[in-house]
Amino acid sequence: MSNVSKEYESRIMLTESEYFMIVSHFMRLHPEKQFIKNINIYYDTKDYYLTKNHITLRIRIIDDNRRELTLKISHPDGDDEINDTLTKSDADSLINNGIFPNGEVKKRLLTLPYSLNDYHEITTLENTRLEIENNDHLLVIDKNIYSGITDYNLEIEANDSIMIAMMWMKEYMKQFNIAMPTEKYVGKAHRAINEVLKKN
């Protein structure tokens, strides 16, 4: 099954103490909530064509029982996200043999100036996620582990516009007394891939 959507996100990095403060707050409010455990496997070409063009290609294994292939194309006013739900067999074929399953992601990749054989695994990121649903947005609290690094981030995914996502982010920053970031946010995929680039 394929899904093509527009994502409106606002994201900031958190310190470890900010992360635990926010998680503790929402776990008290929502003790029924369960953490979601993701393994993200990122792909690119040898010359990092996707990364250079603000495109992310990944397989995500969710709680070890769901798998999806995602192509995410970043834009200033929101991201285009193409998701294909994968069977375990399809995911294993891609991970182990580089065989892309039929779907919207494969169709989009075929429009790019590279063959499917040019894409290979770059790095892996383990993610533990707490999601809090609201009427017009989703609050996402992430812990990420990649290349021996652990970091934390907060995301707001709005339904209608990037402005709503940014408005809610400001509200949460005020609520938890989080300082305005001094550096531009770098997405978790790019953070993980940048660590690989540093070592090459």
Side-chain angles (χ1 to χ4, degrees):
M1 184 176 69
S2 297
N3 177 49
V4 180
S5 61
K6 193 85 168 177
E7 278 199 341
Y8 303 104
E9 295 181 330
S10 181
R11 301 168 289 181
I12 60 168
M13 299 300 297
L14 298 173
T15 65
E16 183 179 43
S17 60
E18 288 169 344
Y19 168 81
F20 283 111
M21 173 181 61
I22 297 170
V23 165
S24 297
H25 172 82
F26 283 106
M27 288 304 292
R28 285 194 299 271
L29 292 179
H30 305 279
E32 78 287 355
K33 282 289 181 184
Q34 298 289 318
F35 286 90
I36 301 167
K37 295 188 181 298
N38 298 318
I39 297 175
N40 296 327
I41 305 171
Y42 297 108
Y43 290 79
D44 208 334
T45 61
K46 287 184 178 179
D47 61 355
Y48 294 90
Y49 171 83
L50 298 179
T51 300
K52 291 173 183 175
N53 287 278
H54 309 288
I55 302 170
T56 301
L57 175 63
R58 70 163 187 248
I59 291 180
R60 174 171 282 173
I61 303 170
I62 305 163
D63 283 337
D64 202 31
N65 59 28
R66 290 186 291 138
R67 291 154 181 81
E68 61 185 23
L69 179 63
T70 300
L71 189 68
K72 194 169 186 177
I73 305 165
S74 296
H75 303 288
D77 62 343
D79 300 337
D80 295 328
E81 183 164 306
I82 302 102
N83 279 305
D84 290 335
T85 301
L86 301 183
T87 64
K88 184 178 186 304
S89 176
D90 283 341
D92 289 346
S93 291
L94 178 50
I95 292 167
N96 298 324
N97 303 308
I99 299 172
F100 281 87
N102 291 327
E104 286 301 315
V105 171
K106 182 176 179 179
K107 287 180 185 177
R108 295 292 183 102
L109 289 175
L110 289 171
T111 68
L112 301 178
Y114 287 82
S115 76
L116 296 178
N117 293 331
D118 290 323
Y119 298 101
H120 63 279
E121 180 181 331
I122 298 295
T123 191
T124 299
L125 179 147
E126 296 181 20
N127 167 266
T128 303
R129 167 168 289 194
L130 183 64
E131 295 184 348
I132 307 296
E133 299 89 359
N134 288 283
N135 290 332
D136 61 353
H137 70 282
L138 178 71
L139 173 67
V140 179
I141 312 158
D142 278 338
K143 175 183 178 181
N144 311 292
I145 301 173
Y146 55 92
S147 296
I149 293 170
T150 300
D151 67 22
Y152 310 89
N153 62 269
L154 186 69
E155 298 183 7
I156 307 298
E157 298 180 6
N159 298 332
D160 299 318
S161 76
I162 196 72
M163 296 305 295
I164 291 175
M166 293 171 66
M167 177 196 73
W168 277 111
M169 180 61 79
K170 288 179 182 177
E171 288 295 318
Y172 288 116
M173 290 173 67
K174 182 179 178 182
Q175 177 181 351
F176 294 106
N177 197 28
I178 298 171
M180 184 65 66
T182 57
E183 297 181 355
K184 184 178 179 181
Y185 180 86
V186 177
K188 63 176 68 70
H190 290 275
R191 299 199 301 273
I193 292 171
N194 285 342
E195 286 304 310
V196 175
L197 287 169
K198 288 178 185 177
K199 296 172 184 177
N200 288 345

